[in-house]
Amino acid sequence: MNNSQSFVLVLNCGSSSLKFAVIDPVSGDEALTGLAECLGNLDARISWKLDGKKSEEALAPGGAHREAIEFLVDLIQKHGLDKGLIAVGHRVVQGAERFTKSVLIDKEVVDGIKAISNLAILHNPANLMGVHAAQRAFPKLPQVAVFDTAFHQTMPDHAYMYALPKDLYTRYGIRRYGAHGTSHFYVASEAACILGKPLEETNVITAHLGNGASVCAVKNGKSVDTSMGMTPLEGLVMGTRSGDIDPSIPDFLATNGYSPQEVNTILNRQSGLLGISGLSNDFRTILKGCDEGHKGALLAYEMFCYRLAKYIAGYMIPLQRIDALVFTGGIGENSFPMRKRVMELLAVFGYQLDEEANRKAMGSTGGQISTPDSPMVLVIPTNEEWVIAKEAAALAKNG
Ligand code: ADP
């Protein structure tokens, strides 16, 4: 780090976790990255990487976001990173129709995020905890909210509406909002650079495949459809989320004695790869299970690939012309067998895999994995933190 370097502290608060990074918004260099986990529990802890060295410490038992941020502030000050800090960027999951782009946080914005928290009961309150803790810790720094939904606000109404009575949309805001917007935007922009085209003229399908997973159709640089819905539960088979199911299943379960809470837990935490395989939500364990012939793992794997391929095929409709298909996220960046299977399923559209390039595209390498005759397929490591840092730095400068 040199003395003139500027940094943004990026915070991503979950209900019991806090991911953080101190990033140079210009170069994307990460001076510090880390994760506080099990917040509010007896085994609350924090781990971080600084100057290439990994460390971990226990937080006080029951330590929550506030304690984690206090620890983080100490860490930042101890290593002199506070001198270069110019802003704090917060990932906020739900911005609804109110927030179509990133904003500087003031009281009105906090109230706005609170007002739409009913659309993201697990996420927005946690994001606000992070905002309050960071405001206390850094009262002089501009705080910026970057919304996961903002990129998808360009979807046309025929893509974002549900075929429900319109009244439910006007009264409660029930519609599709999508998520992972920062990641879809980032990899679409990177794909445009690789293609040598302006983003505004680029059509791509981006598949963000991590514990949560979604696909996005990007037309002329704008999101025109995405697989997640009003909440992140809709769409693909995920680590523990069901993705698409017949909407009458919750009612069927209710008549069989399941409470709304239990149904919610089943669909969000016990389904997906974990529920089908009975083994794990972790894709590496699923792959290992497949190698060992575990029937549940084999089914979970095939369902994951099949649903993904169906969505990709469906997005040919809004895009008509596709410049590239992009894989990203922990699974998308690393699992070459999954990419191979999905491309086999898409062979009808002319997709052909370069097997060697596919095997080589791991971790932070990325690259093109299609043959020269095939429609282009890219693996691009995502970097949501850098997008948040850039947005926060730009708003801090202008504000
Ligand atoms: P999150 O949504 O929590 O940010 P990530 O993007 O980090 O998730 O992705 C986590 C997923 O990536 C896990 O299912 C994990 O098993 C999978 N993953 C990580 N490395 C590999 C790998 N080498 N091969 C296959 N899957 C991997």
Side-chain angles (χ1 to χ4, degrees):
M1 172 186 148
N2 63 51
N3 284 339
S4 60
Q5 214 170 353
S6 300
F7 290 100
V8 172
L9 170 61
V10 175
L11 297 179
N12 179 355
C13 282
S15 49
S16 62
S17 69
L18 163 66
K19 275 192 199 163
F20 54 87
V22 174
I23 299 185
D24 178 332
V26 179
S27 66
D29 289 347
E30 294 171 337
L32 168 71
T33 55
L35 171 70
E37 295 172 276
C38 305
L39 297 177
N41 294 341
L42 290 177
D43 53 349
R45 59 184 178 270
I46 186 163
S47 55
W48 67 94
K49 193 170 147 194
L50 188 105
D51 296 333
K53 195 176 149 241
K54 289 186 182 166
S55 315
E56 179 168 327
E57 265 191 46
L59 292 167
H65 293 80
R66 183 172 177 162
E67 286 73 16
I69 289 187
E70 280 167 4
F71 188 97
L72 179 57
V73 172
D74 270 355
L75 195 63
I76 287 173
Q77 284 172 346
K78 226 184 328 182
H79 292 86
L81 291 171
D82 53 323
K83 295 182 189 75
L85 274 189
I86 53 166
V88 183
H90 298 267
R91 175 187 181 214
V92 180
V93 167
Q94 179 58 273
E97 291 179 350
R98 192 166 186 145
F99 297 106
T100 56
K101 52 183 196 281
S102 306
V103 286
L104 274 171
I105 299 177
D106 57 14
K107 186 173 175 316
E108 202 183 319
V109 168
V110 169
D111 290 344
I113 296 173
K114 254 189 225 157
I116 49 180
S117 283
N118 61 331
L119 293 169
I121 23 176
L122 286 180
H123 298 101
N124 276 25
N127 301 151
L128 280 175
M129 275 193 271
V131 170
H132 294 316
Q135 281 174 330
R136 255 192 312 270
F138 301 102
K140 297 215 173 90
L141 285 185
Q143 313 266 335
V144 171
V146 180
F147 298 91
D148 240 26
T149 49
F151 181 58
H152 303 299
Q153 277 297 303
T154 47
M155 282 194 284
D157 53 5
H158 60 261
Y160 73 66
M161 288 298 284
Y162 289 113
L164 292 169
K166 182 108 185 260
D167 186 40
L168 296 179
Y169 166 63
T170 31
R171 273 170 65 193
Y172 302 112
I174 295 178
R175 52 157 280 181
R176 310 182 60 254
Y177 294 102
H180 292 143
T182 22
S183 177
H184 289 299
F185 167 72
Y186 176 77
V187 295
S189 312
E190 290 292 297
C193 287
I194 293 168
L195 291 157
K197 294 175 90 167
L199 181 59
E200 301 71 41
E201 290 169 22
T202 302
N203 287 5
V204 286
I205 297 176
T206 51
H208 176 107
L209 311 171
N211 275 316
S214 67
V215 201
C216 181
V218 181
K219 187 173 192 172
N220 297 326
K222 293 194 163 74
S223 169
V224 290
D225 206 347
T226 193
S227 57
M228 282 180 169
M230 183 175 97
T231 73
L233 189 53
E234 191 179 335
L236 301 178
V237 173
M238 304 180 221
T240 60
R241 295 188 194 119
S242 64
D244 298 336
I245 57 162
D246 184 328
S248 37
I249 293 172
D251 183 48
F252 180 87
L253 290 173
T255 54
N256 282 283
Y258 289 83
S259 70
Q261 180 77 41
E262 283 168 333
V263 173
N264 193 34
T265 304
I266 289 172
L267 297 180
N268 279 290
R269 297 188 188 276
Q270 298 170 350
S271 297
L273 297 172
L274 172 66
I276 306 158
S277 69
L279 203 57
S280 174
N281 64 313
D282 192 294
F283 210 76
R284 285 164 291 202
T285 312
I286 298 293
L287 288 174
K288 191 161 167 284
C290 290
D291 288 343
E292 291 162 0
H294 186 284
K295 286 205 169 100
L298 286 163
L299 178 60
Y301 175 74
E302 188 59 16
M303 285 175 69
F304 182 94
C305 298
Y306 175 70
R307 177 108 37 106
L308 173 59
K310 272 207 309 189
Y311 262 96
I312 293 169
Y315 288 165
M316 311 263 169
I317 302 300
L319 297 191
Q320 298 291 315
R321 186 204 82 236
I322 296 161
D323 298 318
L325 165 64
V326 182
F327 287 98
T328 194
I331 301 172
E333 289 164 32
N334 293 296
S335 178
F336 63 85
M338 178 278 302
R339 296 190 301 245
K340 179 171 182 213
R341 180 68 190 129
V342 171
M343 289 190 56
E344 276 167 11
L345 292 166
L346 292 170
V348 64
F349 297 105
Y351 282 99
Q352 285 173 34
L353 187 69
D354 178 333
E355 299 256 2
E356 204 187 325
N358 186 40
R359 277 181 176 271
K360 277 194 191 145
M362 285 281 287
S364 55
T365 43
Q368 179 175 342
I369 60 166
S370 48
T371 61
D373 296 337
S374 162
M376 187 181 275
V377 185
L378 301 167
V379 176
I380 301 180
T382 193
N383 196 338
E384 292 160 282
E385 289 77 17
W386 191 14
V387 176
I388 296 175
K390 282 198 261 195
E391 296 270 306
L395 279 165
K397 195 170 159 205
N398 296 337

